[in-house]
């Protein structure tokens, strides 16, 4: 993307829809994609996380959308990382030893299909030495959460993939199942929270932070019985035997994560751009630096996340979108200034105003 500032130039924008909190839009498999596509068109450069983009068997590739795992997205917002777009990643596949033989073969066939049909570079494949032992839970707010019984097995397998030349990692862990549970039934009917999402975030955050590579996760589950009254937002999860395809496509062009040295604010004539650590050279026209962020878009009731607060501290304009969830952490409670939007369509209009140098306050009446 270009670094030229001014009306019409791309306005790098962060889109955050937190996982596991039951967002009305973006709380299901890939149902945040239409909003992401619109905001990418409005901004010219959108940085978002797998929860927004992953639609199980479905995905929408757009060169204006940059697929960044949640913990790396937080570090980018804090000014610690730059994002370096790439033509292709070599995706290592990390499989949980707890996945049964037949179910494991289904996931390997997804990888083969993506090689043959989409031309993705996938491999090597590593199976953990012992099951990861995923457990699921919910917090007091109703948000989903989870943990790993053997996190060291995950990290060790990730290190093996990195040493073997993988530049991005797709993780598949065996998740516990309750196909007839009330929570799952409610989710499939369009209410409640994705019970898997919190644990998925724990896995990808842990691995990406440890390795410094783009990572994303897909749960290994058996197919569910047919439900003729399925909510359309849950339908993406019913189309195939696995959720791996969208992860592989997303990671295939996920940007590299480039460590930035701490900013020296005392330096005379400082450009405001962090410098890559370790003496690495980055062409400014090809990289996205955190100081280029022009806006952050997030649900109005979920503004307490690390990325949003880091952006607010640095003065990045915040667009708070009406998108109900189980949380109620709004701008007033946090003392934040925010541009309010009743929908992601309205948020796209505000992004266009910011991109064109139009004061958003001039678009409403009466003028404040």
């Amino acid at each position: 993307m270009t670094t030229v500032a001014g009306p019409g130039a791309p306005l790098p924008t962060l889109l955050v829809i937190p996982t596991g909190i039951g967002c009305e839009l973006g709380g299901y498999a890939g149902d945040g994609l239409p909003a992401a596509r619109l905001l990418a068109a409005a901004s010219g450069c959108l940085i978002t996380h797998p929860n927004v983009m992953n639609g199980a068997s479905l995905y929408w590739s757009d060169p204006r959308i940059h697929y960044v795992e949640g913990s790396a997205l937080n570090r980018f917002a804090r000014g610690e990382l730059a994002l370096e777009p790439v033509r292709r990643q070599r995706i290592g596949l990390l499989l949980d030893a707890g996945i049964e033989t037949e179910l494991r073969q289904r996931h390997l066939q997804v990888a083969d299909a993506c090689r043959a049909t989409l031309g993705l570079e996938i491999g090597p494949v590593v199976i953990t030495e012992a099951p990861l032992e995923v457990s699921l839970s919910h917090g007091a707010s109703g948000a989903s959460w989870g943990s790993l019984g053997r996190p060291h097995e995950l990290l060790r397998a990730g290190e093996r993939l990195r040493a073997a030349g993988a530049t991005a990692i797709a993780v598949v862990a065996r998740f516990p199942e309750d196909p007839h549970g009330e929570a799952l039934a409610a989710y499939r009917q369009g209410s409640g929270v994705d019970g898997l999402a919190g644990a998925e975030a724990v896995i990808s955050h842990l691995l990406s932070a440890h390795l410094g590579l783009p990572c994303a996760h897909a749960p290994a589950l058996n197919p569910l019985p047919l439900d003729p009254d399925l909510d359309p937002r849950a339908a993406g999860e019913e189309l195939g035997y696995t959720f791996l395809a969208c992860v592989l496509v997303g990671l295939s062009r996920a940007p590299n994560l480039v460590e930035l040295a701490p900013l020296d604010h005392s330096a005379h004539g400082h450009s405001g751009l962090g410098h890559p650590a370790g003496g690495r050279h980055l062409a400014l026209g090809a990289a996205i630096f955190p100081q280029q962020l022009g806006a952050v878009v997030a649900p109005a009731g979920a503004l307490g996340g690390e990325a949003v607060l880091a952006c607010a501290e640095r003065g990045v304009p915040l667009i708070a979108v009406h998108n109900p969830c189980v949380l109620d952490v709004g701008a007033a409670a946090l003392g934040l200034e925010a541009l309010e939007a009743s929908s992601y369509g309205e948020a796209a209009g505000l992004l266009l105003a910011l991109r064109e140098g139009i004061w958003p306050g001039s678009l409403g009446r009466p003028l404040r």
Side-chain angles (χ1 to χ4, degrees):
M1 63 154 266
T2 180
T3 59
V4 176
L11 183 83
T13 297
L14 208 59
L15 170 61
V16 179
I17 305 179
T19 190
I21 63 170
C23 284
E24 191 172 88
L25 190 152
Y28 287 77
D31 75 306
L33 259 169
R37 291 178 60 195
L38 180 63
L39 297 181
S43 66
C45 175
L46 189 74
I47 300 137
T48 193
H49 50 108
N51 178 60
V52 173
M53 301 298 293
N54 287 350
S57 298
L58 305 175
Y59 190 89
W60 193 275
S61 189
D62 186 325
R64 298 168 298 187
I65 301 177
H66 303 278
Y67 184 93
V68 180
E69 184 277 327
S71 66
L73 186 142
N74 290 340
R75 294 195 63 205
F76 174 76
R78 293 199 304 265
E80 299 173 6
L81 293 177
L83 306 176
E84 182 183 33
V86 299
R87 294 184 185 275
R88 183 181 79 244
Q89 296 284 11
R90 184 185 186 197
I91 307 168
L93 183 56
L94 195 164
L95 299 177
D96 182 358
I99 302 172
E100 300 89 334
T101 301
E102 181 176 331
L103 191 54
R104 180 191 306 159
Q105 191 61 43
R106 295 282 187 180
H107 287 84
L108 292 172
Q109 288 173 346
V110 171
D112 284 341
C114 287
R115 288 191 191 100
T117 305
L118 303 179
L120 306 189
E121 184 178 7
I122 302 171
V125 177
V126 165
I127 300 172
T128 61
E129 294 179 2
L132 296 177
E133 297 181 348
V134 176
S135 61
L136 306 177
S137 59
H138 285 79
S141 67
S144 67
W145 197 244
S147 61
L148 288 180
R150 294 189 172 103
H152 57 284
E153 295 290 350
L154 175 74
L155 301 182
R156 188 180 305 162
E159 289 169 355
R160 288 167 58 197
L161 284 170
R162 184 177 60 181
T167 59
I169 297 179
V171 187
V172 184
R174 186 64 166 102
F175 269 50
E177 297 184 65
D178 184 11
H180 304 292
E182 292 182 5
L184 177 59
Y187 175 74
R188 296 177 84 195
Q189 294 299 312
S191 62
V193 171
D194 182 349
L196 311 181
E200 290 194 88
V202 169
I203 293 168
S204 58
H205 287 14
L206 182 63
L207 196 61
S208 184
H210 181 71
L211 299 177
L213 298 178
C215 298
H217 176 268
L221 297 163
N222 287 307
L224 292 168
L226 179 66
D227 183 348
D229 299 318
L230 196 71
D231 187 283
R233 293 172 297 170
E237 302 181 47
E238 311 279 335
L239 300 181
Y241 216 100
T242 82
F243 308 119
L244 180 58
C246 63
V247 169
L248 295 175
V249 177
L251 286 173
S252 68
R253 290 185 179 173
N256 287 335
L257 311 176
V258 182
E259 293 277 347
L260 294 178
L263 290 174
D264 180 6
H265 296 289
S266 64
H268 179 69
H270 192 274
S271 67
L273 297 177
H275 299 288
R280 178 177 174 183
H281 174 72
L282 267 184
L284 292 184
I288 308 169
F289 287 79
Q291 288 75 14
Q292 295 172 276
L293 267 179
V296 56
V297 181
L303 301 181
E306 192 172 344
V308 172
L309 294 178
C311 288
E313 185 176 344
R314 293 175 35 228
V316 176
L318 167 62
I319 299 175
V321 183
H322 177 71
N323 186 6
C325 63
V326 299
L327 302 182
D328 185 17
V329 185
L334 296 169
L336 302 178
E337 291 187 12
L339 298 169
E340 297 181 358
S342 62
S343 67
Y344 285 94
E346 186 175 344
L350 291 171
L351 281 179
L352 278 172
L354 293 172
R355 185 176 177 181
E356 293 299 317
I358 299 169
W359 172 49
S362 68
L363 302 175
R365 296 292 184 272
L367 291 174
R368 292 181 296 172

